Amino acid sequence: MKRIAIFASGAGSNARKIIEHFYKNEKVAVALVACNKPGAGVIAIAKDAGIPVLLIEKEKFFRGNAYTDELNAAGIDLVVLAGFLWKIPPRLVAAFPQRIINIHPALLPKYGGKGMYGHHVHQAVIDNKEKESGITIHYVDDVYDHGKIIFQATCPVLDDDTANTLAQRVLQLEHRYYPSITAQLLA
Ligand code: GRF
């Protein structure tokens, strides 16, 4: 059995899709949901699914063991970031080489880096009059939104798009592809 830990800070719609995808799967289990925000939507999603929640504390994450011992003790094979906004500390990257993935709501290497999250990304895409946007699934290294690209999918940017309407179109792509690409990586 391969074991996934999902790291998420927010609404958790991607986490939900991944949890649903592997529900009752005989080869892959979502063993843990890690979250740095008490009260985040993703916590209720995990609890409803009977998945243990690990509340991440800043001090321990950035200046302690970065939860490497807990992840190893839980037998985690792959860490899946799904809207986790803190940078992954070098210690955790080193403990899980090529075993941490992230999804970014744009076509990296464009529109990535510090501060490029949520609506900031989509607004920048619209401001630059891009004709297409999309998603990037990539390995996580020590630089924001920088690790090797695993998969990309595109969608059009329409003339009358707002950051909101574009975000919704991109989120549909995320839901469609993140669970299956995660499954492929574990196969
Ligand atoms: C997604 O847009 C993802 O690309 C980004 O954070 C957002 C998370 O949304 N990394 P949700 O919490 O999964 O709904």
Side-chain angles (χ1 to χ4, degrees), residues 19 23 44-51:
I19 289 167
Y23 183 67
I45 292 172
K47 287 193 171 156
D48 284 351
I51 298 168

Side-chain angles (χ1 to χ4, degrees), residues 128-169:
N128 283 341
K129 303 197 176 352
E130 297 283 0
K131 292 289 171 223
E132 65 173 17
S133 189
I135 60 167
T136 304
I137 296 170
H138 64 94
Y139 289 109
V140 171
D141 66 10
D142 287 333
V143 182
Y144 258 123
D145 299 328
H146 172 268
K148 184 170 174 271
I149 291 173
I150 300 164
F151 175 85
Q152 290 185 307
T154 64
C155 65
V157 180
L158 306 179
D159 288 342
D160 59 353
D161 262 336
T162 61
N164 248 325
T165 57
L166 180 56
Q168 282 166 28
R169 195 172 307 119

Side-chain angles (χ1 to χ4, degrees), residues 18-177:
I18 293 167
I19 289 167
E20 285 171 2
H21 186 90
F22 293 112
Y23 183 67
K24 291 195 172 164
N25 190 295
E26 286 174 3
K27 294 186 176 150
V28 179
V30 178
L32 192 68
V33 169
C35 179
N36 64 318
K37 269 197 195 158
V42 70
I43 293 177
I45 292 172
K47 287 193 171 156
D48 284 351
I51 298 168
V53 173
L54 177 67
L55 210 51
I56 302 274
E57 288 166 16
K58 200 167 200 170
E59 185 67 23
K60 184 169 175 178
F61 195 54
F62 291 110
R63 281 173 288 277
N65 74 352
Y67 292 87
T68 48
D69 300 333
E70 285 82 349
L71 293 170
N72 281 324
I76 298 304
D77 297 289
L78 186 71
V79 173
V80 177
L81 308 184
F84 187 71
L85 289 181
W86 285 352
K87 191 163 184 293
I88 302 301
R91 183 169 179 154
L92 184 47
V93 174
F96 285 82
Q98 304 284 84
R99 292 196 294 142
I100 307 176
I101 62 172
N102 181 44
I103 190 160
H104 186 76
L107 298 172
L108 294 175
K110 288 168 109 176
Y111 306 108
K114 200 166 178 359
M116 276 293 174
Y117 61 89
H119 282 198
H120 301 289
V121 176
H122 304 298
Q123 194 57 56
V125 168
I126 288 170
D127 290 347
N128 283 341
K129 303 197 176 352
E130 297 283 0
K131 292 289 171 223
E132 65 173 17
S133 189
I135 60 167
T136 304
I137 296 170
H138 64 94
Y139 289 109
V140 171
D141 66 10
D142 287 333
V143 182
Y144 258 123
D145 299 328
H146 172 268
K148 184 170 174 271
I149 291 173
I150 300 164
F151 175 85
Q152 290 185 307
T154 64
C155 65
V157 180
L158 306 179
D159 288 342
D160 59 353
D161 262 336
T162 61
N164 248 325
T165 57
L166 180 56
Q168 282 166 28
R169 195 172 307 119
V170 170
L171 195 61
Q172 281 176 10
L173 282 181
E174 298 187 27
H175 294 166
R176 179 160 158 208
Y177 289 110

